[in-house]
Amino acid sequence: MSELRVGVLGRIVAGEDFGRFVEVVDDADTSGGFLILTYDNVDRPGDAYDSWVESIIDVEPYFAECGWEVEWLDRA
């Protein structure tokens, strides 16, 4: 997996949800953890789903369980 990025949109290029877009959001101030958001397209409209993990160290195992390889985009 490429280096994990927080607050940056990426395209899922392998694994579950292939072709969707993903963003990891530091939500510690509100929920006490991290949100993993997936979207239908790069502009974020359409179907969106979210998952929550307790800490940043839980994000990589989540990605691994999904089999995700992510190509991070330059834009946020």
Side-chain angles (χ1 to χ4, degrees), residues 41-63:
N41 65 60
V42 72
D43 295 322
R44 298 179 179 97
D47 287 337
Y49 300 96
D50 64 6
S51 295
W52 179 88
V53 295
E54 189 172 349
S55 72
I56 191 65
I57 61 172
D58 298 317
V59 176
E60 281 198 38
Y62 184 97
F63 276 41

Side-chain angles (χ1 to χ4, degrees), residues 13-52:
V13 296
E16 295 176 22
D17 303 310
F18 173 82
R20 290 181 59 86
F21 294 85
V22 63
E23 181 178 16
V24 178
V25 175
D26 183 348
D27 195 48
D29 291 341
T30 303
S31 69
F34 285 78
L35 296 173
I36 301 169
L37 308 171
T38 60
Y39 307 95
D40 276 344
N41 65 60
V42 72
D43 295 322
R44 298 179 179 97
D47 287 337
Y49 300 96
D50 64 6
S51 295
W52 179 88

